[in-house]
Amino acid sequence: MHLSLMNRVQVMLLGFVLLGRSLEEKARIRASSDMNELLALMSTQSRLVITSSDSNSPTENVLCSDAICTEVPTDDVRVGDTVLVLPGESIPVDGRVLAGRSVVDESMLTGESLPVFKEEGLKVSAGTINWDGPLRIEALSTGSNSTISRIIRMVEDAQGSEAPIQRLADSIAGPFVYSVMTISAATFAFWYYIGSHVFPDVLLNDIAGLDGDPLLLSLKLSVDVLVVSCPCALGLATPTAILVGTSLGAKQGLLIRGGDVLERLASISYVALDKTGTLTEGKPTVSAVASISYEESEILQMAFAVEKTASHPIAKAIVDKAESLKLTIPVTRGQLTEPGFGTLAEVDGCLVAVGSLDWVNERFRIKTKLSDLKDLETKVMYQSSEGMSSSNYSKTVVYVGREGEGIIGAIAISDCLRHDAESTVNRLQQKGINTILLSGDREEAVATIANKVGIESEFINASMTPQQKSEVISSLQAEGHRVAMVGDGINDAPSLALADVGIAIQNEAQENAASDVASIILLGNRLAQVVDALDLSRATMNKVYQNLSWAIAYNVVAIPIAAGALLPQYDFAMTPSLSGGLMALSSIFVVSNSLLLQLHRSETESNR
């Protein structure tokens, strides 16, 4: 009889444990469903376009008359190959549109629901969906180098990294196992040698068998303690929530580089913002050119020569303006760029510097008169303000200096304020986070933008070098604050690396030094995603704390009951099968609670 009963208990125990493991595995598969969706976006086949080497297809024609299309595996496509993508198909490679006009759904990469218009010269990313018309695309990166492959690889790395709180849980789980084994042994010893004699009525309970055997009672209670205890719940509490959080972030266009990043971001008290390319669109244009003694076109031509190979948005604005006027490049050599200050090069045998006023002025022995500099600035700012709302634009003045003459001209650069800049700063402040502005631009331009978005004057820092930006962040950290830095350019890279959390706004899916060192990359190129990332981190950490609280509370309550704490007074004792069921249920609860994070919706998404 005892043997039959024990066999039934063993079968039920194994059944509950296996059922729990099965449900837990299904829940974990659901937790990684967002990553599976990203993997499904990768097209396995591409339509390769083959043309004769001397064929020049007009851009208005998607395919030339002698073109041949053939289906090939996407892995066989090489950089420089041309592929054709028809409406409704997934774009197989990162590339540049050579011909065709269409709209592309990039929501799976950027989180932006509205389709994006694409035409000749614009870039597209692998995994996005072509909607309207056929596109002929030149492959720029393929396979593991494509944007979506890098995203998947980085998210997988993030999911494999441990948050500090996970290490705490792991450090508890180790001693916990030995403690449970000790409690189990103590339970057996107590009930066999003491409890069954002090409380003889407990032998009438079914757990003691028909004969009221104290050995059977002690064995079952000690086994109950071993079975009901659940270190698995402690071990799963953090990684399951991190798994869901990082996957959900990737789906929203937030590339998060690890669980430790989510934990640090959730406790941020300061957010430092760059101006150019962060609060502004990062697409500056030349709005005015002024000169002391040269023609305006000559000033622009010299600046064009110096900035031709520079990567800063202001340099690009100067180059674009010069190219639109079809200006020629003088003989130039020896370019030298000092991030945050300016660029220097030899143009037609003379050194020419383009950059901030003080930096350019210090490059040359001959100094321009202060009155001439003031007149120059007044002139260029007046010209740039004509027909333009000053409150919605950031105006930056870069100066052009020439060897033997000093400063000879100035160029006004205008950049439009991001449409979500003011609302983002306001939302951060409502959450109790202080916002500070760190910019290398002149004080007047920085103050105008800061006032527009609602940053207080005490938190405005202008005319700062990259080193000075880092010093501000270091001083805040020394005061015990957690600081996040938001930037987009190479001059922001030191601050992004130093901050507790570096957040890079990635423009046009291009990687730069900022993206390389940042903890979080905003693939959607929207400042509002900073708040989305903060909300996601807090929601994820809330789940972690809920899971840990449950795991600890469960063991604190379940282990004493399994050890027979209720047996003398209430005649209640667990069976091994019930203990196994509760243990499995505890793990399932932790994983299922983490899955509820998939219901999290960002404020930006909810307001659409």
Side-chain angles (χ1 to χ4, degrees):
M1 192 70 174
H2 288 322
L3 187 60
S4 176
L5 179 61
M6 289 299 292
N7 287 337
R8 288 200 299 271
V9 168
Q10 291 171 6
V11 170
M12 293 178 68
L13 174 59
L14 288 173
F16 276 126
V17 171
L18 292 175
L19 176 62
R21 290 287 181 266
S22 175
L23 293 174
E24 181 184 316
E25 184 61 26
K26 288 182 178 180
R28 296 188 71 174
I29 291 173
R30 276 195 60 198
S32 59
S33 61
D34 290 330
M35 285 302 299
N36 294 331
E37 289 179 21
L38 280 177
L39 287 167
L41 295 174
M42 302 181 70
S43 176
T44 57
Q45 292 291 115
S46 300
R47 193 175 285 103
L48 185 66
V49 178
I50 303 173
T51 60
S52 60
S53 58
D54 59 347
S55 174
N56 291 314
S57 175
T59 57
E60 61 268 18
N61 296 332
V62 176
L63 287 178
C64 58
S65 57
D66 65 343
I68 300 174
C69 293
T70 180
E71 291 274 346
V72 298
T74 299
D75 290 340
D76 292 344
V77 178
R78 297 292 178 260
V79 174
D81 287 347
T82 302
V83 297
L84 176 67
V85 183
L86 299 180
E89 293 182 342
S90 173
I91 296 174
V93 295
D94 289 353
R96 181 174 58 247
V97 177
L98 297 178
R101 294 159 64 91
S102 183
V103 291
V104 174
D105 179 7
E106 297 182 339
S107 60
M108 63 290 298
L109 295 183
T110 66
E112 176 57 60
S113 60
L114 295 177
V116 181
F117 177 72
K118 299 293 182 182
E119 61 180 353
E120 180 193 355
L122 296 180
K123 293 183 178 180
V124 292
S125 298
T128 56
I129 308 298
N130 179 28
W131 275 12
D132 279 355
L135 294 173
R136 179 158 54 93
I137 299 169
E138 178 189 3
L140 299 180
S141 60
T142 63
S144 61
N145 294 321
S146 66
T147 300
I148 191 169
S149 295
R150 290 197 302 270
I151 291 172
I152 292 171
R153 188 164 58 248
M154 292 174 73
V155 172
E156 287 175 344
D157 290 343
Q159 292 174 345
S161 66
E162 284 189 351
I165 197 168
Q166 170 66 28
R167 291 192 285 273
L168 172 63
D170 291 344
S171 67
I172 295 173
F176 175 81
V177 173
Y178 295 108
S179 299
V180 168
M181 294 175 67
T182 303
I183 294 171
S184 175
T187 299
F188 176 86
F190 172 80
W191 287 110
Y192 187 71
Y193 294 106
I194 301 173
S196 58
H197 301 293
V198 175
F199 308 107
D201 290 346
V202 300
L203 298 176
L204 301 176
N205 191 283
D206 292 341
I207 197 172
L210 296 178
D211 299 332
D213 188 350
L215 177 61
L216 182 61
L217 172 73
S218 304
L219 280 173
K220 283 188 176 182
L221 289 177
S222 63
V223 169
D224 284 346
V225 171
L226 291 174
V227 174
V228 81
S229 61
C230 190
C232 301
L234 275 173
L236 291 170
T238 300
T240 52
I242 296 299
L243 175 69
V244 178
T246 50
S247 297
L248 187 59
K251 194 173 182 180
Q252 294 178 354
L254 307 171
L255 189 50
I256 301 166
R257 294 185 188 259
D260 57 327
V261 175
L262 286 170
E263 184 173 348
R264 293 198 304 271
L265 183 60
S267 60
I268 287 297
S269 55
Y270 274 82
V271 172
L273 299 160
D274 178 44
K275 181 180 73 68
T276 304
T278 302
L279 288 177
T280 63
E281 292 284 357
K283 299 176 182 177
T285 57
V286 173
S287 55
V289 180
S291 171
I292 294 176
S293 58
Y294 285 82
E295 291 291 330
E296 293 178 1
S297 60
E298 292 178 300
I299 297 296
L300 190 59
Q301 189 176 38
M302 282 186 275
F304 175 35
V306 173
E307 300 283 19
K308 177 63 178 175
T309 59
S311 59
H312 194 276
I314 290 178
K316 187 176 185 300
I318 293 173
V319 171
D320 290 345
K321 180 66 173 179
E323 289 179 343
S324 69
L325 297 175
K326 294 182 170 51
L327 298 179
T328 58
I329 306 177
V331 178
T332 308
R333 63 179 183 177
Q335 187 199 56
L336 175 66
T337 299
E338 191 168 346
F341 293 99
T343 307
L344 186 72
E346 186 180 306
V347 180
D348 285 336
C350 292
L351 287 178
V352 176
V354 180
S356 63
L357 175 62
D358 292 339
W359 185 81
V360 173
N361 212 25
E362 291 172 0
R363 299 309 101 188
F364 309 109
R365 292 181 180 179
I366 297 179
K367 311 296 182 185
T368 305
K369 293 180 181 179
L370 185 61
S371 59
D372 289 340
L373 290 177
K374 288 183 178 180
D375 291 343
L376 183 65
E377 182 178 1
T378 302
K379 181 180 178 181
V380 76
M381 289 302 294
Y382 175 77
Q383 291 178 5
S384 69
S385 298
E386 291 181 343
M388 188 178 293
S389 172
S390 60
S391 63
N392 289 329
Y393 283 84
S394 166
K395 295 183 179 65
T396 301
V397 178
V398 295
Y399 292 85
V400 181
R402 193 165 188 262
E403 186 179 11
E405 299 177 62
I407 292 177
I408 57 175
I411 301 173
I413 309 291
S414 297
D415 195 4
C416 183
L417 187 69
R418 287 180 182 268
H419 68 88
D420 57 354
E422 185 175 357
S423 61
T424 299
V425 171
N426 184 47
R427 287 165 62 191
L428 287 171
Q429 292 172 347
Q430 288 178 350
K431 295 178 183 296
I433 295 175
N434 296 306
T435 53
I436 61 175
L437 182 55
L438 306 177
S439 176
D441 206 348
R442 59 193 180 86
E443 190 171 345
E444 295 83 358
V446 175
T448 300
I449 292 298
N451 292 333
K452 177 65 178 177
V453 300
I455 297 177
E456 299 177 6
S457 57
E458 61 182 299
F459 295 125
I460 300 174
N461 299 272
S463 302
M464 304 199 78
T465 66
Q467 182 180 356
Q468 289 173 328
K469 290 181 181 180
S470 299
E471 289 172 355
V472 171
I473 292 174
S474 295
S475 64
L476 289 172
Q477 291 173 326
E479 294 171 5
H481 300 293
R482 286 288 184 94
V483 184
M485 173 69 191
V486 187
D488 73 315
I490 187 172
N491 59 321
D492 300 319
S495 301
L496 290 169
L498 179 63
D500 294 287
V501 179
I503 303 175
I505 297 180
Q506 187 166 325
N507 296 306
E508 300 178 357
Q510 294 177 343
E511 285 193 350
N512 54 30
S515 301
D516 291 340
V517 302
S519 308
I520 300 175
I521 301 175
L522 309 183
L523 299 175
N525 191 23
R526 300 190 308 277
L527 190 60
Q529 288 183 297
V530 173
V531 185
D532 295 343
L534 178 66
D535 289 342
L536 178 61
S537 69
R538 289 181 172 179
T540 302
M541 293 313 299
N542 283 339
K543 288 299 178 186
V544 170
Y545 296 138
Q546 290 170 13
N547 290 344
L548 288 174
S549 298
W550 161 260
I552 293 171
Y554 163 82
N555 283 292
V556 167
V557 173
I559 290 177
I561 295 176
L566 301 180
L567 190 56
Q569 187 171 357
Y570 298 100
D571 195 33
F572 175 80
M574 291 185 184
T575 61
S577 55
L578 176 59
S579 301
L582 289 175
M583 183 270 291
L585 185 63
S586 177
S587 297
I588 294 169
F589 175 87
V590 166
V591 178
S592 300
N593 187 49
S594 297
L595 285 174
L596 293 177
L597 188 59
Q598 291 181 327
L599 302 177
H600 171 79
R601 291 292 177 267
S602 65
E603 286 185 38
T604 305
E605 196 174 359
S606 302
N607 293 334
R608 285 176 186 165

